[in-house]
Amino acid sequence: MINIFTKKGAGPAKVTASTGYGTYGTSVSQASLFGSTEGDKSISYSVSATAENSAGFNTIAPNSPYKKSYNTTNNIGYTKTGGAAQVSQEWAKGQSVGAQVYASRNNNQYPVYGPGKVLGNQINEVSTLALYSKNQITDIWNSNLQIAQSYDSGQAIYPSQTPASWYPAGNPLTNTKQNIYTWQNDINVGSDLLQILGERRTVSMYATGTNTLNLSQDTNSVAAAYQLKRGSNLANFSLRNDNITGYGSQNTGGASYGYFFTKELRVNANYGTGFKAPSFYELYYPNYGVATIKPEKSQNTEAGIHYETLAYDIHFVVYNNTITNLIQYTNLGCPVGFSMGCASNVASAKISGASLGGVGRLGDFTLKGSFDQQNPVDQSTGYVLAKRAKQFGNVSVEYKKNAVAVGAEGTFQAQRNDYGNSGTMNGYGIANLYGSYDFEKDWSLFARWNNIFNKNYQLSYGYVTPGSNVFVGIRYAMK
């Protein structure tokens, strides 16, 4: 089912708007209008728009093994625009129909690999239209029927001075269209809930490049889940079957159990299986997709203990995930001419670990923190999985009183390696500050300072991340 996130209107029409400016010439502006009509059979509506621009910064790091073939001086910027709208009507009690629409366009610069050391543009356009009907069939049966269609277009634009011998495919274009038909039924069985879902998804792709592609894929799915409540016992059981063109019938499912020792203390255990077919992008996208990519299969196990009160929460979870043919990006072993890397499989991956987290509420202060210790390993080589740290975590503190809200947050990751256990990326810790002030009814100022100590760190080997940067703005929100 496609979900388009727009604010659902309720009550008299209200307007929100904000604009801000920051480091790297970054500006973000957005506005929305939402509300509903009065009386029976009211109509709820909302519409929103956003625009973002940035001059950016050069992303090629001094340690990049390919820096001699990349532009290392010019900034790499982007523009983003988007809009969304929804309208719905409850034409009788428990009966409503609605429509949602979303569209966006992103134009991102990127360094083109080659002797010209030029910058190219990657342009992506996405649009979605969904129609739905929510109906209370009986006192215990609710139905949600949705029809949705989406378009996704992407094109890499190489500058005219790019040598044709380096990019013989020209400016490859990829268009993808999806039609999704979904029917979900929620049936109350006493204090329990039975959910039954049927879905049909058709995907078609047309791509130009070295070879012209015209592909299609159908997925027919049925799924059921049962949520059980018996005193202090909670359980959930689910089964799903996906029949996918080229991959046949695939069955997945899960089971979970939880028990409340007291109102504050509970434990849980979960087990689930998963299947992920490679996307057309991973299979066929020009200069990236590899037609021999295999589908992922996974088994996930988790157990946890949780203690929650009004003053604080504590959570401790252990997990073990095994993944066959993990699909990921790599820059090793790609076909000839794939200068920007390609899709690949990790034959056997395992991610096991433990997570400790908590929240404390002390008057006007809220404190949060979490820490993970994990072992993400490629079992076929013994290497740590690419770009995954064995330790990572975050911590934050926020003060909120009356018209003022201020906070500080920090995040850290330990050492990570690039693909094939190459290219070590050192561990890092960054700190951020943020705040807002309601200076008038409906009006507020906000500011954020990221990476306040200007930490030099990398998330992908050979590519830099933003340094110390500030963003400030003003917001209007009718209350």
Side-chain angles (χ1 to χ4, degrees):
M1 182 175 292
I2 289 181
N3 291 309
I4 306 171
F5 296 99
T6 56
K7 188 177 184 69
K8 186 175 181 180
K14 294 182 179 180
V15 174
T16 65
S18 67
T19 187
Y21 187 81
T23 310
Y24 306 121
T26 302
S27 64
V28 181
S29 299
Q30 52 191 13
S32 64
L33 168 69
F34 56 93
S36 64
T37 61
E38 297 180 350
D40 296 336
K41 302 181 181 180
S42 65
I43 297 175
S44 172
Y45 58 88
S46 68
V47 61
S48 62
T50 183
E52 182 175 348
N53 298 276
S54 180
F57 54 92
N58 193 276
T59 58
I60 305 301
N63 65 339
S64 170
Y66 309 108
K67 64 181 179 180
K68 292 183 178 180
S69 298
Y70 279 133
N71 183 310
T72 59
T73 56
N74 292 100
N75 291 336
I76 298 173
Y78 65 87
T79 63
K80 299 179 181 180
T81 56
Q86 74 88 23
V87 61
S88 63
Q89 182 181 38
E90 186 176 20
W91 53 271
K93 185 177 181 181
Q95 318 295 325
S96 63
V97 293
Q100 297 175 315
V101 64
Y102 168 81
S104 68
R105 187 179 193 272
N106 297 343
N107 186 343
N108 302 299
Q109 290 183 306
Y110 69 95
V112 176
Y113 181 85
K117 296 184 178 182
V118 294
L119 298 181
N121 290 76
Q122 177 68 39
I123 300 175
N124 291 94
E125 296 179 343
V126 176
S127 62
T128 300
L129 171 65
L131 306 174
Y132 64 88
S133 177
K134 297 181 179 180
N135 305 97
Q136 184 174 346
I137 308 300
T138 69
D139 291 342
I140 64 169
W141 178 11
N142 288 282
S143 165
N144 187 356
L145 180 65
Q146 179 174 281
I147 302 173
Q149 187 173 82
S150 68
Y151 292 89
D152 188 342
S153 174
Q155 186 171 30
I157 307 296
Y158 301 118
S160 58
Q161 61 266 44
T162 305
S165 59
W166 282 72
Y167 294 96
N171 297 323
L173 170 68
T174 301
N175 288 324
T176 303
K177 174 185 174 182
Q178 288 193 76
N179 293 320
I180 305 174
Y181 312 90
T182 306
W183 188 21
Q184 179 175 321
N185 294 273
D186 296 345
I187 302 171
N188 294 312
V189 184
S191 61
D192 302 341
L193 176 64
L194 171 64
Q195 295 180 301
I196 302 173
L197 179 140
E199 182 177 272
R200 176 172 172 79
R201 180 188 300 259
T202 64
V203 183
S204 59
M205 185 188 80
Y206 175 79
T208 65
T210 305
N211 299 303
T212 298
L213 299 173
N214 196 347
L215 306 165
S216 63
Q217 183 183 79
D218 297 338
T219 302
N220 297 312
S221 306
V222 291
Y226 193 86
Q227 299 176 23
L228 178 148
K229 298 179 182 180
R230 294 290 186 277
S232 298
N233 300 275
L234 301 174
N236 189 304
F237 306 94
S238 63
L239 290 173
R240 183 181 178 102
N241 174 268
D242 297 286
N243 198 306
I244 309 170
T245 302
Y247 301 98
S249 179
Q250 303 293 333
N251 296 312
T252 56
S256 61
Y257 173 75
Y259 182 79
F260 280 88
F261 289 99
T262 67
K263 184 175 64 175
E264 298 82 14
L265 178 63
R266 63 182 171 91
V267 295
N268 73 281
N270 311 321
Y271 174 78
T273 60
F275 178 88
K276 176 189 174 186
S279 66
F280 282 156
Y281 181 86
E282 293 159 337
L283 289 167
Y284 304 116
Y285 191 81
N287 298 328
Y288 178 79
V290 178
T292 55
I293 290 294
K294 300 175 182 178
E296 281 185 11
K297 293 185 178 181
S298 61
Q299 298 182 35
N300 312 303
T301 306
E302 178 184 297
I305 182 169
H306 313 269
Y307 191 79
E308 301 172 338
T309 70
L310 292 176
Y312 61 90
D313 307 338
I314 299 176
H315 307 275
F316 179 71
V317 177
V318 294
Y319 51 88
N320 183 69
N321 304 323
T322 57
I323 309 156
T324 303
N325 295 319
L326 172 69
I327 300 173
Q328 65 174 21
Y329 164 90
T330 188
N331 53 15
L332 301 176
C334 294
V336 175
F338 283 39
S339 59
M340 300 296 290
C342 64
S344 68
N345 285 122
V346 174
S348 179
K350 183 177 182 180
I351 304 172
S352 56
S355 178
L356 176 65
V359 179
R361 291 168 284 271
L362 305 173
D364 299 319
F365 289 89
T366 301
L367 296 86
K368 299 180 181 180
S370 68
F371 174 78
D372 273 66
Q373 173 71 50
Q374 65 172 8
N375 185 32
V377 62
D378 178 345
Q379 296 189 105
S380 58
T381 63
Y383 296 150
V384 174
L385 290 172
K387 300 186 180 182
R388 298 179 187 259
K390 289 190 173 183
Q391 300 88 23
F392 61 91
N394 59 75
V395 63
S396 68
V397 57
E398 182 178 83
Y399 173 82
K400 184 180 291 186
K401 188 172 183 178
N402 300 327
V404 175
V406 293
E409 55 190 23
T411 185
F412 76 92
Q413 288 201 67
Q415 175 182 297
R416 293 139 293 124
N417 294 325
D418 206 18
Y419 303 98
N421 208 42
S422 63
T424 299
M425 293 175 283
N426 294 327
Y428 68 89
I430 58 173
N432 311 315
L433 297 174
Y434 64 90
S436 65
Y437 174 63
D438 299 335
F439 63 93
E440 288 285 351
K441 181 180 181 294
D442 302 335
W443 289 92
S444 62
L445 297 172
F446 61 89
R448 185 173 183 87
W449 184 9
N450 295 316
N451 194 5
I452 62 176
F453 299 115
N454 200 32
K455 179 68 175 181
N456 182 12
Y457 67 100
Q458 296 182 7
L459 299 177
S460 292
Y461 185 77
Y463 294 89
V464 300
T465 50
S468 181
N469 62 94
V470 175
F471 189 86
V472 297
I474 186 169
R475 180 183 295 114
Y476 175 77
M478 292 178 65
K479 298 181 177 65

